[in-house]
Amino acid sequence: MAHPFATLTPDLVLDAVESIGFVTDARILALNSYENRVYQVGIDEQQPLIAKFYRPDRWTNEAILEEHSFTAELADVEIPVVAPMVHNGQTLFEHAGFRFTLFPRRGGRAPEPGNLDQLYRLGQLLGRIHAVGATRPFEHREALGVNNFGHASLNYLLDNNVIPRSLLPAYESVAKDLLKRVEDVYAATPHQNIRMHGDCHPGNMMTRDEIFHIVDLDDCRMGPAVQDVWMMLAGDRQDCLSQLSELMDGYNEFHDFDPRELALIEPLRALRLLHYSAWLARRWDDPAFPHSFSWFGTERYWGDQVLALREQLSALNEEPLKLF
């Protein structure tokens, strides 16, 4: 059977935007997105809009609207975030079986890796986001945890014969050892789950005219604050310590960070490794994935994953990063 996105043609995208009252100029540009489909759509005598079409059956309407509500909370206290447009009192629309949302177009570039001045300001921004996120929980969006990101990911890979037979014993063995270590560290580390971005890599934090803004809260969920911190760090241990210091100096101006959560950085990195492989496997029926990730499923990919998981197991046995 054809994948649902196969019916999302340019004409359907234009029809969807026009169905709620906009007049398009028939110009459409597909933007880089895999989980959903995102397009820049030209609007007659106005600035183009960004139309995001949600992957069918991934989130419930309630979960999507909770993301929109969280984004609106951030915007209401003047946190620079690209929030869904409100049109006729709504932010979520439906056309021809697809749910979609419109955003204003915002340009920018990703932060420079290791730029300490930028990291200080990014820390301020994260602190402001988490100060809002900590005020109440999500009700319809899941929390990041060892079971859903770790065990469920490994089980999917094992149950669906994704891993080459020649590498299956090695991958399964190291993944199970890794998850046992992750569970131990999680159990020993005090932490509080708050509403957070969830996928806070530099590509989702854009700067323009020296102002940073947050984009794409599609993966927002409950989780420890450090999940939004560790993906800002790059380089060796000393580099990461310097970067972490700048991030926390900015962060703590707006929200108190519990330094005990730093022990979760390597467990969270381990969960991301497992979840990423399972994400690719779960999405393989989407034609965009074999086209863009042709290396997935090769022995080389899985051999590299075995090495990556072994290295991550070693990292979990090292002393966690600390603030001084």
Side-chain angles (χ1 to χ4, degrees):
M1 295 180 61
H3 191 272
F5 277 141
T7 64
L8 188 60
T9 63
D11 284 343
L12 193 152
V13 171
L14 295 174
D15 289 345
V17 174
E18 292 191 339
S19 73
I20 58 174
F22 290 95
V23 179
T24 72
D25 62 11
R27 290 182 296 176
I28 182 172
L29 175 66
L31 303 180
N32 186 30
S33 178
Y34 296 107
E35 187 65 4
N36 303 296
R37 294 294 189 267
V38 182
Y39 304 90
Q40 178 179 292
V41 179
I43 303 298
D44 191 38
E45 297 184 353
Q46 298 181 45
Q47 288 293 315
L49 299 177
I50 304 301
K52 172 182 175 181
F53 289 78
Y54 288 91
R55 178 172 292 273
D57 301 323
R58 182 181 180 223
W59 294 116
T60 64
N61 285 352
E62 292 80 8
I64 293 173
L65 291 172
E66 200 164 43
E67 170 208 337
H68 294 181
S69 177
F70 182 40
T71 310
E73 283 183 65
L74 300 176
D76 285 345
V77 293
E78 299 182 345
I79 294 174
V81 61
V82 182
M85 294 175 57
V86 180
H87 185 70
N88 294 331
Q90 295 180 276
T91 57
L92 182 62
F93 311 96
E94 186 170 345
H95 180 77
F98 288 101
R99 295 169 298 172
F100 69 99
T101 297
L102 300 178
F103 297 86
R105 183 178 65 172
R106 292 284 187 273
R109 64 182 186 278
E112 300 171 18
N115 184 309
L116 297 183
D117 178 61
Q118 288 188 344
L119 285 168
Y120 175 79
R121 289 182 289 141
L122 287 170
Q124 291 178 311
L125 182 54
L126 282 177
R128 295 178 66 194
I129 292 170
H130 288 177
V132 174
T135 58
R136 60 187 179 89
F138 282 133
E139 296 180 5
H140 301 286
R141 300 181 78 86
E142 66 178 7
L144 189 164
V146 180
N147 284 333
N148 58 354
F149 268 58
H151 289 292
S153 296
L154 177 59
N155 290 340
Y156 186 88
L157 295 172
L158 298 178
D159 292 344
N160 289 274
N161 300 316
V162 176
I163 305 163
R165 186 178 299 274
S166 61
L167 292 165
L168 179 59
Y171 186 91
E172 182 176 5
S173 176
V174 69
K176 288 182 175 179
D177 289 345
L178 184 62
L179 283 172
K180 178 62 171 66
R181 186 75 180 100
V182 167
E183 286 179 327
D184 291 344
V185 177
Y186 248 81
T189 304
H191 61 279
Q192 177 187 2
N193 282 349
I194 64 171
R195 292 179 297 171
M196 46 93 181
H197 186 287
D199 191 28
C200 204
H201 58 76
N204 281 334
M205 305 182 80
M206 309 297 288
T207 179
R208 184 177 184 182
D209 299 327
E210 299 302 314
I211 296 174
F212 284 101
H213 58 268
I214 295 289
V215 300
D216 192 12
L217 273 81
D218 190 65
D219 283 305
C220 66
R221 64 188 71 232
M222 301 295 293
V226 72
Q227 168 65 11
D228 281 351
V229 171
W230 73 264
M231 280 187 279
M232 293 288 106
L233 307 177
D236 62 23
R237 183 180 179 88
Q238 195 57 47
D239 290 334
C240 288
L241 286 170
S242 300
Q243 295 162 21
L244 180 64
S245 178
E246 290 297 319
L247 272 171
M248 289 297 101
D249 282 350
Y251 185 102
N252 284 315
E253 291 182 9
F254 296 95
H255 190 63
D256 291 332
F257 180 80
D258 185 346
R260 293 176 297 182
E261 287 192 8
L262 294 175
L264 294 179
I265 289 178
E266 297 308 330
L268 289 167
R269 196 191 311 274
L271 294 178
R272 189 172 178 85
L273 285 169
L274 293 166
H275 184 262
Y276 181 72
S277 291
W279 174 69
L280 291 173
R282 289 185 175 110
R283 299 293 183 256
W284 206 243
D285 64 333
D286 182 338
F289 279 70
H291 175 76
S292 300
F293 305 99
S294 58
W295 35 261
F296 180 71
T298 64
E299 292 215 358
R300 179 172 181 178
Y301 171 79
W302 289 105
D304 288 344
Q305 288 302 299
V306 170
L307 292 176
L309 295 187
R310 285 174 176 163
E311 290 173 356
Q312 195 57 34
L313 186 57
S314 296
L316 276 161
N317 293 320
E318 296 177 0
E319 184 74 13
L321 295 179
K322 291 185 178 179
L323 293 170
F324 298 98

